[in-house]
Amino acid sequence: MADARPVPDRDLAQRARQGDRDALGELYRRHGTAAYSLAARLLGAGEAEDVVHDVFLALPSALASYRERGLFGAWLRRVVARAALTRVRSARRRNEMALEGVVIATEPSWADPDLELAIARLPDTLRTSLVLHAVEGFPHREVASMLGISIIAARVRYSRALNALRRDLRRHGT
Amino acid sequence: MIPDTLMARLAALPPLNPPGRLARRVQESLLAGTHAPALVGEPPRPGRQRRWQVLVAAAAAAAVAIGLLWPRQAPVPLEEDFGWLVPRTAFAQATPPGLPRLAALVPGRMRAGTWVYRSRTHGPDGFEVDRGETRLTVAAGMRHGDSVWIMVRQGRGRPGTGVIRDSITVRRATLAPVARVRVPWGASMLFRGDSVVVEVPRHGLRYEWALPAIAEAPYLADLATLLPAVPFTREFHAGVPVLVGFRPQGPVHPLEMTVAGEEAVTVPAGTFTCYRVQLGGRSGGDVWWVDMASGRLVKSANQWGGDMEDETVLLEVR
């Protein structure tokens, strides 16, 4: 009788490290949604697809830094977050991220469209802090590390993001 | 509340589903062996916040450097050696909880005279440091029409501190302090009822500090010189708040004085029948032997560091 237990992420990661496409496909099936969700809330849908695509393609080499001590999913989310934030910074330098005032179409998968829209309308410095901490659950210390700022600054940004979000929701009557 | 609602809404946000085309795109790229770009091509650049931190740190470092290099007025440890008999300088404030307040001093018990003491620190294996002689002189005098006691302490302080000479002037009627002068630093303290003016002309320093309510209790630092006025009895048990350090605003610790018995104590000046006064609280471990007849200190001992002891004995009465 075949063993029905799912292959652990750790084993898939080991195989993916050697370029096993099936293993990569399985990892995408398991963690693609979480990766895309994080990237989409940081960057928007279009950019998020590019980030997730690039992350999974680069996974065999990126897995060299995966120490297998923690959960693979948590490690992958950190990789995605850093990749997405790199794009945010690049876009900021090119002044491309002017989400404020941009009309954003609702996505069919949004369970709370008002809140998702309000998050998307936040300035990117506030949005990243809010998404990483409040939605994705990264501790402030890790958010600070990802953003290259102090822990205090991360907390301040998060607090400002909450206030801005609250104001935005009030303004839009939600 | 809005914050709770908002937080709950944020926490409850479900993951966003990727479009189906993304899976196909990834699969096609994997099959095609598409070259993958570097994931995190650049480390986080120091943002504005980081730059501010660098600027603030640089400014702080510059301020520290200026502070270190700028010609400064030397700190004046005014009370450094004042605790030769009493280990802590003190200003009497409120009564420590649970302790009876030190009863009013008896000014009429004060007498003029000179007492010479020798102090040493000793420990195991023959360790001994001679801390020299200290002479305490009490003389009657007049100041601005007031009858006063002028109490002068002369001697050598702790190793390296040189010769000490202090004078304390108190009113004979109340034993309230009027002035204090410390010679090595030229420091003077003039008492003005509820405040004290401290001047150290040599360093251009002048402070005026509000004094806590002294009432009839003495400064504890002066207590050693005022010991004859303390009404010790066999059942004596009193509390005096001790101000650690010099400033009246400093931390206060209760000092408990208890007469623990009577002993005959032999010192170079002779044999005296003494009250053994145990000090508790912050100065726990100190013991004074006070001559029952004159009220003068005959001997004091303070154990510290486990097996080290400071000892002061009366050498001579003049």
Side-chain angles (χ1 to χ4, degrees):
Chain A
M1 189 175 160
D3 190 352
R5 285 181 303 177
V7 179
D9 282 349
R10 191 186 311 119
D11 295 348
L12 288 174
Q14 274 184 353
R15 286 165 49 194
R17 190 179 287 147
Q18 292 161 33
D20 186 324
R21 290 177 194 146
D22 291 339
L24 280 168
E26 178 61 16
L27 287 174
Y28 177 84
R29 193 184 63 76
R30 292 185 188 181
H31 302 285
T33 299
Y36 172 81
S37 180
L38 168 57
R41 287 194 173 112
L42 291 175
L43 290 167
E47 292 257 358
E49 284 187 42
D50 290 344
V51 164
V52 173
H53 171 266
D54 291 351
V55 163
F56 275 89
L57 254 64
L59 214 47
S61 58
L63 279 168
S65 66
Y66 174 51
R67 296 286 173 257
E68 301 180 9
R69 283 197 290 266
L71 294 174
F72 172 81
W75 174 83
L76 182 66
R77 284 195 310 130
R78 284 198 293 276
V79 171
V80 170
R82 289 186 186 278
L85 290 171
T86 301
R87 288 205 174 217
V88 170
R89 278 189 289 272
S90 302
R92 192 187 303 158
R93 285 204 291 279
R94 296 194 303 267
N95 294 321
E96 290 177 359
M97 298 282 289
L99 286 174
E100 190 83 52
V102 173
V103 176
I104 305 168
T106 56
E107 293 281 333
S109 64
W110 284 0
D112 191 342
D114 295 326
L115 185 56
E116 297 280 9
L117 275 174
I119 292 172
R121 281 192 292 261
L122 287 173
D124 58 279
T125 52
L126 302 185
R127 189 180 61 258
T128 50
S129 297
L130 181 90
V131 168
L132 290 172
H133 181 68
V135 181
E136 296 294 333
F138 288 107
H140 284 301
R141 184 185 306 171
E142 197 159 355
V143 173
S145 168
M146 288 176 183
L147 297 176
I149 59 177
S150 68
I151 297 175
I152 294 174
R155 286 180 181 276
V156 168
R157 282 191 191 181
Y158 171 67
S159 175
R160 286 179 183 164
L162 277 181
N163 289 334
L165 195 62
R166 208 169 290 134
R167 283 196 301 272
D168 185 280
L169 290 169
R170 281 204 201 100
R171 191 164 57 238
H172 289 85
T174 54
Chain B
M1 281 177 63
I2 289 175
D4 292 341
T5 307
L6 180 56
M7 294 296 291
R9 286 174 70 183
L10 283 167
L13 280 177
L16 304 178
N17 292 321
R21 62 176 177 271
L22 178 56
R24 287 194 300 275
R25 186 180 160 194
V26 170
Q27 191 70 18
E28 287 168 6
S29 295
L30 287 173
L31 287 170
T34 305
H35 175 69
L39 278 182
V40 184
E42 50 186 311
R45 285 202 329 159
R48 187 182 300 171
Q49 189 75 23
R50 179 72 60 84
R51 286 196 290 276
W52 271 112
Q53 287 175 346
V54 171
L55 286 174
V56 169
V64 169
I66 290 171
L68 289 174
L69 298 175
W70 200 264
R72 290 175 299 161
Q73 293 163 335
V76 183
L78 290 172
E79 294 297 317
E80 183 184 351
D81 273 301
F82 212 79
W84 63 287
L85 293 177
V86 181
R88 300 284 183 273
T89 300
F91 292 84
Q93 289 187 318
T95 306
L99 288 174
R101 190 184 178 89
L102 176 62
L105 298 177
V106 184
R109 289 166 58 99
M110 288 293 294
R111 294 287 182 269
T114 297
W115 294 263
V116 183
Y117 296 89
R118 175 175 289 279
S119 299
R120 67 184 184 120
T121 300
H122 60 95
D125 303 324
F127 175 84
E128 180 166 334
V129 174
D130 182 1
R131 295 165 59 201
E133 293 182 8
T134 304
R135 178 182 304 175
L136 175 64
T137 302
V138 178
M142 297 292 291
R143 180 184 170 92
H144 304 313
D146 279 336
S147 183
V148 295
W149 289 114
I150 302 167
M151 297 181 280
V152 179
R153 179 169 71 96
Q154 290 176 280
R156 199 180 78 190
R158 291 172 192 156
T161 58
V163 174
I164 297 170
R165 194 162 79 238
D166 296 324
S167 78
I168 306 162
T169 302
V170 299
R171 289 192 177 86
R172 286 183 68 165
T174 60
L175 300 181
V178 176
R180 172 181 292 160
V181 177
R182 186 181 175 91
V183 172
W185 294 285
S188 68
M189 299 175 71
L190 297 176
F191 295 89
R192 295 176 170 174
D194 58 354
S195 69
V196 58
V197 178
V198 180
E199 289 185 321
V200 190
R202 179 171 153 188
H203 296 289
L205 299 178
R206 186 180 188 281
Y207 307 108
E208 180 161 4
W209 291 322
L211 289 174
I214 297 172
E216 66 276 5
Y219 287 83
L220 194 62
D222 299 341
L223 196 56
T225 53
L226 295 172
L227 270 181
V230 177
F232 286 118
T233 63
R234 287 187 178 87
E235 293 79 30
F236 184 88
H237 179 213
V240 177
V242 177
L243 186 91
V244 176
F246 181 68
R247 294 166 184 263
Q249 299 88 345
V252 174
H253 299 271
L255 175 68
E256 190 175 350
M257 292 190 299
T258 306
V259 170
E262 298 171 14
E263 293 178 13
V265 177
T266 299
V267 292
T271 298
F272 300 83
T273 304
C274 297
Y275 288 119
R276 178 191 170 98
V277 181
Q278 184 75 45
L279 301 188
R282 175 79 181 209
S283 297
D286 286 36
V287 181
W288 295 349
W289 286 267
V290 179
D291 179 24
M292 292 173 69
S294 67
R296 276 290 154 207
L297 190 79
V298 171
K299 180 181 171 182
S300 74
N302 175 24
Q303 285 202 328
W304 55 278
D307 44 15
M308 302 291 284
E309 186 179 65
D310 292 338
E311 184 184 75
T312 298
V313 295
L314 183 60
L315 285 185
E316 185 182 357
V317 180
R318 297 175 185 165

